[in-house]
Amino acid sequence: MEANAWLLLERNLGSFSRALGVDMAKSTPQINAALKRFLIPVDAVMGNLKNRYQRPRPFIAESQIQPCLPREQGFSFPSGHSTWYRAASELLADLLPERRTRLVAVGSHGGNSRVLCGVHYPSDVQAGQRLGVAAAAQLIASPQWRAFKADPAVMAEVEAIRQVTDRALPQLVR
């Protein structure tokens, strides 16, 4: 579990490659680039909330906690990784609803691993995941998202992902 937490340390859309069955960086450049842009305002809202609540991280509040990930600066609530991963999973699931279960599993693990490693409290992760879901819902309802989904290049990338059969999908956990 700790090794998988390290794989999710960087907020990287490539983390969803196993859930989709394709290398996102190579196979979905349009989706990859657009999702990065769509997630920028989500990060901004999350950052504003962190600054508002200023909750210290668990390893700062309790010296006996020894994180298994690098000690990050900044505040704990809500979890930025939880927010980002869950929002990304919801956006991808809107594009590929048939892979929703796999995508949300990755999105949830992106936050849950933070508790395991002592850099967030469970409530930080829960709040981040709720924020991610809510932010993604607003983005999905936007005209910008509808235009993105209608783009023929995006539709082609989605169809290429759909060509990977369920039986060909790799296991999510290594």
Side-chain angles (χ1 to χ4, degrees), residues 8-31:
L8 298 167
L9 182 59
E10 300 298 323
R11 296 180 202 172
N12 184 338
L13 290 167
S15 300
F16 292 96
S17 293
R18 295 180 70 77
L20 295 173
V22 299
D23 181 334
M24 282 197 67
K26 293 179 183 174
S27 302
T28 62
Q30 298 292 322
I31 294 172

Side-chain angles (χ1 to χ4, degrees), residues 85-108:
Y85 272 102
R86 189 56 192 268
S89 72
E90 293 291 329
L91 295 174
L92 286 166
D94 186 63
L95 294 174
L96 293 140
E98 64 274 17
R99 302 270 164 85
R100 179 175 183 68
T101 300
R102 292 173 62 87
L103 292 163
V104 170
V106 174
S108 294

Side-chain angles (χ1 to χ4, degrees), residues 61-83:
E62 302 292 334
S63 60
Q64 70 270 23
I65 295 175
Q66 297 300 313
C68 63
L69 290 172
R71 293 174 180 256
E72 294 184 22
Q73 301 297 313
F75 299 112
S76 190
F77 182 90
S79 164
H81 280 75
S82 297
T83 304

Side-chain angles (χ1 to χ4, degrees), residues 27-31 95 144-162:
S27 302
T28 62
Q30 298 292 322
I31 294 172
L95 294 174
Q144 295 86 351
W145 182 259
R146 287 193 297 276
F148 162 72
K149 281 181 64 172
D151 183 323
V154 172
M155 292 170 58
E157 289 180 1
V158 168
E159 283 308 311
I161 295 169
R162 287 190 170 127

Side-chain angles (χ1 to χ4, degrees), residues 110-151:
N112 294 337
S113 64
R114 313 289 292 167
V115 174
L116 169 80
C117 286
V119 295
H120 279 292
Y121 296 99
S123 57
D124 300 337
V125 171
Q126 290 170 349
Q129 288 181 353
R130 287 181 178 173
L131 176 59
V133 169
Q138 286 190 347
L139 289 169
I140 289 166
S142 73
Q144 295 86 351
W145 182 259
R146 287 193 297 276
F148 162 72
K149 281 181 64 172
D151 183 323

